[in-house]
Amino acid sequence: WDIYLHPSQKYLADSPANSRLLVSGSAGTGKTVCAWHRIHKLAFRGCRVGFACTTHAILSVSKARLGRMLEHCPVDVHFLVPSSADELLQLCDVVQHLVIDEGQEFATTWYNSLASHLREHDLGLTLFYDLNQLGGNIPAGDIKRFEHRFSEWKSAITRIPNATNIELAINYRNSREIAEYYGDVLSECLPQHITSEIPLFSAGEVIEYSTADVQHLPALITNLVLRLQREFKPSEIAVICNGETVRKNDVLNSLHLATVLATTELNDGNEVVVTDPKTFRGHERKAIVVAAPSRGLASEKWGQAINSYIALSRARDRLIIIKVAR
């Protein structure tokens, strides 16, 4: 999917440099891949491009891929994980087009500043976002704060002048079984409806396990990971710990004791990644093991539902869910 572009994505990638596009899409619809091609097309036309995202973990993936795509490029591409609206605007001052990935994670006040800047400057913008992955430092059960931020965010981007809204809908990542599973489980729990279409290809599998006690969890995960390694490389497997009762450090230490090489480093290609949903946003693996409290997947708490959505939608071919009773 890094090579093939759907016509809707190709239209986006080929759009003029001075256009301003607000691109929404559910998990797996190729937003980041589309961002790469957008940058590639613009840069090879001689347009100075800036790429901004929310974390260095997300940036490292895009920077590595774009490093290959931009060989022999006639202009420089600037990369930034901004820590303030001022830093974002400083990037705007040295480029002709700004591409933002995981845009829902930027503070709404930043978009107010960006909108003011765009009204005064001839700067192009391509903003990729998914409000169902809206994060931030909000407690999972604080629905009022989530609702407030959700409303603020939608209001903030409407202030961006001369912008066109585009929605991506083709799911490139998940097999049909995986997409149907998390769609059925989470469709009523998330801030907004999942917009991606159910994939036509059927090459995946969803398996559920349960354990009555969190203390039994490390042994179960160890067994599952060892079985997955018969089919997948360690770099193709991730364990996502979703919930307060399932702590990634406890799992990581137990897997080390079981001679499964595991790490929290997302870009270590020789080991199984043990992580949490927030850290793993923007990544994917062929095989994902998600460990969560039995009542934690389809939660009425937006924060927990968003974490579940991120975790479950990262899997391409195999999704294993372990529900912990207590």
Side-chain angles (χ1 to χ4, degrees), residues 12-13 15-23 31 34-35 38-39 42 49-52 96-103 111 114 118 123-129 160 164 166:
L12 196 163
S15 293
N18 63 351
S19 58
R20 293 169 180 172
L21 308 175
L22 309 180
V23 187
K31 296 185 295 298
C34 202
R38 179 70 167 141
I39 293 168
L42 290 171
V49 187
F51 178 78
Q96 296 165 290
H97 193 98
L98 176 65
V99 176
I100 297 176
D101 195 21
E102 300 288 351
Y111 288 112
L114 179 61
L118 291 172
L123 176 73
L125 172 70
T126 309
L127 166 63
F128 295 89
Y129 69 96
I160 294 175
T164 300
I166 296 177

Side-chain angles (χ1 to χ4, degrees), residues 61-248:
V61 175
S62 291
K63 198 170 183 179
R65 184 56 56 91
L66 283 165
R68 297 190 291 272
M69 294 176 68
L70 295 173
E71 288 184 6
H72 312 300
C73 181
V75 296
D76 290 332
V77 172
H78 302 265
F79 298 90
L80 179 67
V81 177
S83 60
S84 67
D86 287 342
E87 286 190 3
L88 188 63
L89 296 184
Q90 287 171 19
L91 175 62
C92 292
D93 286 336
V94 297
V95 300
Q96 296 165 290
H97 193 98
L98 176 65
V99 176
I100 297 176
D101 195 21
E102 300 288 351
Q104 74 280 349
E105 290 302 288
F106 285 168
T108 54
T109 54
W110 294 17
Y111 288 112
N112 295 333
S113 300
L114 179 61
S116 297
H117 186 90
L118 291 172
R119 280 191 286 271
E120 299 174 1
H121 298 81
D122 185 22
L123 176 73
L125 172 70
T126 309
L127 166 63
F128 295 89
Y129 69 96
D130 178 7
L131 290 182
N132 278 334
Q133 297 187 57
L134 191 70
N137 298 317
I138 303 175
D142 196 340
I143 294 180
K144 291 291 185 182
R145 285 181 63 188
F146 268 106
E147 289 176 339
H148 179 68
R149 182 159 186 225
F150 188 86
S151 175
E152 270 194 333
W153 204 97
K154 293 177 74 173
S155 176
I157 62 169
T158 61
R159 300 190 185 101
I160 294 175
N162 305 316
T164 300
N165 291 282
I166 296 177
E167 184 175 85
L168 299 178
I170 306 298
N171 187 331
Y172 290 91
R173 178 188 296 143
N174 313 121
S175 70
R176 177 173 56 81
E177 297 85 350
I178 292 171
E180 285 182 336
Y181 178 87
Y182 70 73
D184 290 343
V185 169
L186 299 173
S187 60
E188 302 300 323
C189 309
L190 293 166
Q192 63 181 25
H193 181 68
I194 297 174
T195 58
S196 60
E197 300 173 5
I198 297 297
L200 295 177
F201 63 95
S202 178
E205 187 176 12
V206 179
I207 305 169
E208 287 188 349
Y209 290 86
S210 62
T211 179
D213 196 314
V214 70
Q215 294 186 10
H216 300 157
L217 187 61
L220 179 55
I221 292 178
T222 297
N223 180 263
L224 291 171
V225 169
L226 289 172
R227 288 161 59 183
L228 285 171
Q229 286 184 316
R230 299 172 189 169
E231 302 177 56
F232 302 100
K233 300 175 184 177
S235 60
E236 297 172 335
I237 303 170
V239 177
I240 302 181
C241 302
N242 184 23
E244 287 298 319
T245 59
V246 182
R247 301 182 184 278
K248 67 178 181 182

